[in-house]
Amino acid sequence: MKSVLPAALVGCRSVACLLALALLAATHPAVGVEGNSNPAPSANPPSESATVLGIEGSRFSINGNPVFLLGFSYYGALGAGEDLVRQDLADFQQRGFNWLRVWATWEAFGQDVSAVDATGREREPYLGRLKHLVAECDRRGMVVDVTLTRGQGATSGRIADMEAHVRAVETLVESLRAHRNWYLDLANECDVRDARFVPVDELRRLRDRVRELDPARLVTASFGGHDLSDADIGKAAKEIGVDFLAPHRPRHPKSPSQTEDQTRRALAMLRAVGREIPVHYQEPFRRGYTTWQPTAEDFLTDLRGAVAGGAAGWCFHNGSQRGAPDEQPRRSFDLREKRLWDQLDAEEREFVAKAAG
């Protein structure tokens, strides 16, 4: 069958073209690329979900079409009202953003909005809100990152131990099974040697449990605060068996200019260990974290480096303003009273306006 793609998009792999392809994929699932109509996503079976996330080599795909995931942190979304969430989704989607990151274990500023409790069991009304968010994004053609984090003891907002971690994975996979537009981060910054740490053998068990319950579900485990070593990449790709890498790179003024080279190095190492999978920048630097306050141009430089280096996705990270009264604005870390869009400052809004272009 002859391709129905606009001629300008055929063969194009710039971020703007990939975002345009994502929109086509979400609204016209039968549209193929370069003459290949109605391709089957390599990692996903037939689904009633409107938005099917897949992987094609080192790229993500939506409904079988290659896409660059341009996203934003939305950590405390389960504490926000439905109207505020819809407004945020509309504002970001209109500017070319097609995915977001939400935590299933989030407690901040005296409010626990976790979808699962410390034992991994469902926690309402927040699990219901997570279901609604994933369904709304599915309808819109957007992807959702659902993230878990390990903790110590039976503290709210975190997973207490391995038994609870397995149960949390089971709760989320079973509750969200009908939707193919989300992936699971098994353990945020799993390699950091504090309460977040999860050993490789436990991560492998968690990954295997997801595969037993839902073989097509895409899974990662994020690494925190450093560029991945060859050993890190080998562990993630071969021992844990993640579907894509999710490194959290260093946060300093030189970081944006280093992203392209670091991406190329990671992809080369993946080829060396025999796995061609995406590199996905799920949590870069942000404003309000240290004395360095990145500008709109810093965000743009980092995003351009990710695209040029061959990354499959990048996130506009945002959070509370450390050192400010009540850490305001809190941005995605606290969405109970103000939506994210209304908490962004001038530099962030300038970036968001320019990102997709």
Side-chain angles (χ1 to χ4, degrees):
M1 185 180 292
K2 185 177 180 181
S3 172
V4 293
L5 276 176
L9 295 182
V10 176
C12 180
R13 290 297 181 269
S14 72
V15 65
C17 290
L18 289 170
L19 287 168
L21 283 166
L23 180 59
L24 282 171
T27 55
H28 298 81
V31 172
V33 180
E34 298 178 359
N36 179 21
S37 64
N38 199 24
S42 62
N44 295 283
S47 170
E48 295 181 2
S49 184
T51 306
V52 179
L53 176 67
I55 287 177
E56 304 289 344
S58 61
R59 295 288 185 187
F60 289 112
S61 66
I62 290 180
N63 297 340
N65 295 311
V67 61
F68 184 89
L69 294 184
L70 177 62
F72 59 98
S73 296
Y74 210 43
Y75 288 10
L78 304 188
E82 290 183 8
D83 288 344
L84 297 184
V85 169
R86 280 193 291 267
Q87 292 175 51
D88 273 338
L89 295 182
D91 279 329
F92 278 94
Q93 191 172 28
Q94 287 169 8
R95 290 160 178 83
F97 287 74
N98 57 6
W99 76 278
L100 59 88
R101 188 184 190 209
V102 63
W103 284 43
T105 47
W106 186 255
E107 181 182 19
F109 307 105
Q111 181 76 7
D112 185 356
V113 298
S114 301
V116 294
D117 64 19
T119 69
R121 293 178 172 86
E122 64 182 59
R123 186 169 180 271
E124 296 294 357
Y126 303 107
L127 182 60
R129 293 182 183 181
L130 178 59
K131 293 178 185 177
H132 182 272
L133 176 63
V134 171
E136 178 66 16
C137 288
D138 192 350
R139 184 184 68 81
R140 290 174 175 269
M142 299 180 74
V143 170
V144 180
D145 169 323
V146 178
T147 291
L148 291 168
T149 186
R150 180 72 68 88
Q152 291 180 334
T155 55
S156 58
R158 293 192 176 217
I159 301 301
D161 51 33
M162 182 58 179
E163 180 182 357
H165 211 147
V166 172
R167 190 178 295 116
V169 164
E170 293 169 345
T171 298
L172 293 176
V173 171
E174 294 291 356
S175 298
L176 302 172
R177 179 189 298 276
H179 300 284
R180 310 306 312 175
N181 65 317
W182 68 278
Y183 66 79
L184 180 63
D185 181 349
L186 293 170
N188 175 66
E189 299 187 343
C190 62
D191 63 322
V192 179
R193 296 287 178 144
D194 60 12
R196 291 165 286 183
F197 180 69
V198 184
V200 168
D201 63 321
E202 293 188 3
L203 289 166
R204 181 69 197 197
R205 286 172 56 197
L206 293 167
R207 201 276 166 269
D208 288 345
R209 184 59 180 142
V210 177
R211 187 173 281 122
E212 291 170 0
L213 294 169
D214 190 353
R217 185 66 56 195
L218 299 184
V219 170
T220 192
S222 53
F223 285 66
H226 60 92
D227 287 312
L228 299 185
S229 67
D230 291 353
D232 291 331
I233 293 171
K235 287 178 182 178
K238 302 292 284 188
E239 296 181 44
I240 301 170
V242 299
D243 293 302
F244 56 91
L245 293 183
H248 297 177
R249 295 203 58 245
R251 298 176 178 180
H252 54 68
K254 294 182 179 180
S255 184
S257 64
Q258 298 169 349
T259 297
E260 180 177 350
D261 286 344
Q262 287 297 329
T263 307
R264 294 184 188 279
R265 190 190 66 79
L267 289 169
M269 183 58 192
L270 285 167
R271 289 192 293 271
V273 300
R275 287 206 68 199
E276 184 184 19
I277 59 176
V279 174
H280 184 37
Y281 290 116
Q282 168 203 54
E283 187 182 311
F285 52 80
R286 65 175 178 86
R287 290 174 68 79
Y289 185 69
T290 65
T291 55
W292 175 51
Q293 298 298 318
T295 65
E297 188 56 36
D298 290 320
F299 287 114
L300 289 167
T301 298
D302 200 55
L303 173 56
R304 292 186 188 110
V307 174
W314 184 94
C315 182
F316 162 52
H317 187 34
N318 62 85
S320 61
Q321 195 75 26
R322 293 181 175 182
D326 295 325
E327 295 195 30
Q328 297 282 358
R330 295 171 177 174
R331 302 179 178 90
S332 70
F333 286 8
D334 188 355
L335 298 167
R336 291 171 293 171
E337 298 180 2
K338 296 180 181 179
R339 67 192 186 99
L340 177 57
W341 187 260
D342 291 338
Q343 298 187 65
L344 300 183
D345 63 26
E347 290 290 338
E348 291 168 320
R349 289 197 180 201
E350 180 182 348
F351 165 72
V352 169
K354 295 179 178 179

